[in-house]
Amino acid sequence: MALAKKGSRRIVVDGVEYRWRVSSKHWCCDSDPRPLGYAVEHAARPGTTLVVDTGRPAVFPPEAVSDQLVLPAEVAAGIRAALADGWTPDADGPPFALCLSAPRSVGRPPGPVPA
């Protein structure tokens, strides 16, 4: 499962460059019960993709969805946790799943307040 370059963001963690993105499947505004998540891969040699489940809900009203629901600092922490747990990003293999409990509290995301 390779990430599309379009729409992905660059992040450097401990001197290594990665690309990451929140999948539209994770932050849609339907009654989707899946939690918020994102995917990460090594930028120079994409191998095993890291798929992170943040443990936070992904369902918000459309006007409240923000591109800041997953922040780069959280992605960096997820990458470090996955590496410590055995993720080898430049090796071939199936996606590496990492489930996290909510690393930061999330109240109402930025956006208009419903009337």
Side-chain angles (χ1 to χ4, degrees):
M1 173 180 126
L3 293 180
K5 288 187 180 182
K6 184 176 181 178
S8 65
R9 297 182 64 186
R10 177 183 175 269
I11 188 168
V12 177
V13 177
D14 301 330
V16 179
E17 184 177 352
Y18 301 91
R19 290 184 310 119
W20 70 279
R21 73 176 291 157
V22 176
S23 170
S24 62
K25 294 177 183 175
H26 287 98
W27 60 269
C28 68
C29 302
D30 300 326
S31 59
D32 190 340
R34 287 181 286 193
L36 181 64
Y38 56 91
V40 181
E41 71 180 12
H42 194 278
R45 189 189 180 288
T48 302
T49 302
L50 170 63
V51 179
V52 179
D53 170 348
T54 66
R56 298 193 311 267
V59 180
F60 298 107
E63 66 276 0
V65 174
S66 167
D67 62 350
Q68 296 298 316
L69 290 175
V70 176
L71 300 174
E74 180 180 352
V75 174
I79 290 170
R80 288 184 183 106
L83 289 169
D85 205 26
W87 177 48
T88 52
D90 57 351
D92 293 331
F96 186 92
L98 179 67
C99 294
L100 303 173
S101 59
R104 62 185 176 93
S105 62
V106 175
R108 182 183 309 276
V113 178

